[in-house]
Amino acid sequence: MFSKKKNWIFMLALISLLVLAACGSGDDSSGDDAEAEDGDYDLNDSYTVVSDNSFVPFEFMEDGELVGFDIELITAIAEEAGFEIDGEIQTTNFDGIIPGLQTGQFEIAVAGISITEERKGTVDFSDPYYESGITIAVPEDNEDINSLEDLEGKTIATRLGSTSAQFLEANLEDKQIDPYEQLDQVYMSVENGNADAAVYDLPNVEYYIATTGDGLKAVGETYQAEDYGIAIAKGNEDLVAAINDALATLHENGTYDEIYDKWFGSSE
């Protein structure tokens, strides 16, 4: 009788130890998962951010202040992700943005930058945040240019270092491409008669015509659908992930739509 009782106590103790061990192993695993789900990224306190200053309505100067869709979006992303923008958002010519990220002068760039395979070889990109494309602008009284084919043999103004310039080089044989650093120079060249047409990103062309354009119109279809992304210097995987998480949250909580509606009208 005594032996049976001792064996029974031993069995209960063994079962208790096995249960405790199993619970301990489960707790460790769930702790790791929780950390991953929380998005506990290794981020700096602040990052240098660069933009352009003439790509309306994405980024431009107004009363001495840099404003626009991209500026409000990156500010909201930084706040959501938990990092500061180091000082003020810096500005440079568009063609200097990617090289600046490569050399470490900047860490984040937001400037209506189209995501391309070539650019992905030198910088990283966030998930797309805006869908764009390329279109043609000509004087309102021009009836000869209505498509890409009509640009053969013409002088075309576009932006230096842009995907529009690359598109024209790849798709036209007989052309004279005049690239400019500043966008206002692109449109003014057409308005002044120095170029037959301007070719650039659809939202900027439409915004310029609606608010500033002196007798210009958009013609033809939208070419080369493009996605804009936030560019990040290589070697910042956690920063890319944190920006993507923040961007997704802004879509979910309606902040993205609020910013979009302010600069483009209703997103619905």
Side-chain angles (χ1 to χ4, degrees):
M1 181 72 179
F2 176 78
S3 177
K4 288 183 179 180
K5 182 177 181 181
K6 185 165 64 173
N7 288 340
W8 176 246
I9 293 172
F10 174 78
M11 289 297 296
L12 285 176
L14 180 60
I15 292 171
S16 298
L17 287 172
L18 291 173
V19 170
L20 286 172
C23 289
S25 174
D27 288 344
D28 290 340
S29 175
S30 63
D32 292 341
D33 290 342
E35 183 177 346
E37 290 174 2
D38 289 341
D40 188 14
Y41 300 115
D42 183 15
L43 301 179
N44 296 339
D45 293 335
S46 64
Y47 293 93
T48 54
V49 179
V50 67
S51 187
D52 179 34
N53 64 2
S54 64
F55 185 39
V56 294
F58 291 86
E59 44 268 330
F60 60 101
M61 300 303 295
E62 185 175 77
D63 299 327
E65 182 182 2
L66 187 64
V67 299
F69 174 77
D70 278 348
I71 305 308
E72 292 195 21
L73 181 62
I74 194 61
T75 301
I77 286 174
E79 182 178 352
E80 179 64 36
F83 63 84
E84 299 286 336
I85 294 174
D86 189 6
E88 296 183 351
I89 295 176
Q90 301 181 44
T91 60
T92 190
N93 291 331
F94 185 81
D95 60 316
I97 289 176
I98 300 296
L101 290 171
Q102 289 179 270
T103 60
Q105 185 179 0
F106 317 117
E107 294 166 292
I108 301 171
V110 57
I113 305 170
S114 298
I115 302 172
T116 68
E117 290 303 315
E118 180 180 358
R119 287 173 177 166
K120 285 164 68 174
T122 55
V123 299
D124 289 328
F125 279 99
S126 70
D127 292 334
Y129 70 87
Y130 188 93
E131 184 177 343
S132 182
I134 296 170
T135 195
I136 304 167
V138 298
E140 283 184 330
D141 60 358
N142 185 298
E143 301 297 334
D144 299 326
I145 299 176
N146 296 287
S147 66
L148 180 66
E149 292 73 20
D150 295 333
L151 293 177
E152 291 285 354
K154 306 295 185 182
T155 300
I156 310 154
T158 190
R159 195 174 203 187
L160 184 66
S162 67
T163 53
S164 299
Q166 296 171 359
F167 175 78
L168 292 169
E169 288 286 358
N171 290 278
L172 292 177
E173 295 183 1
D174 180 19
K175 75 278 186 182
Q176 171 63 46
I177 300 175
D178 289 347
Y180 295 90
E181 287 187 343
Q182 299 298 322
L183 277 172
D184 56 349
Q185 297 173 316
V186 173
Y187 298 117
M188 287 176 61
S189 68
V190 181
E191 295 168 354
N192 296 336
N194 294 324
D196 298 299
V199 173
Y200 199 59
D201 292 14
L202 175 65
N204 183 255
V205 171
E206 289 183 335
Y207 192 90
Y208 182 87
I209 291 172
T211 60
T212 311
D214 183 14
L216 296 183
K217 65 180 179 180
V219 298
E221 60 186 88
T222 302
Y223 301 95
Q224 190 168 293
E226 300 175 336
D227 288 322
Y228 292 164
I230 298 164
I232 300 109
K234 288 282 188 182
N236 292 282
E237 291 81 5
D238 277 13
L239 178 58
V240 174
I243 287 175
N244 284 338
D245 280 356
L247 184 59
T249 298
L250 296 182
H251 276 289
E252 292 169 2
N253 66 21
T255 302
Y256 178 93
D257 287 342
E258 291 176 8
I259 299 172
Y260 184 100
D261 292 351
K262 175 179 177 178
W263 294 102
F264 300 103
S266 177
S267 57
E268 297 181 354

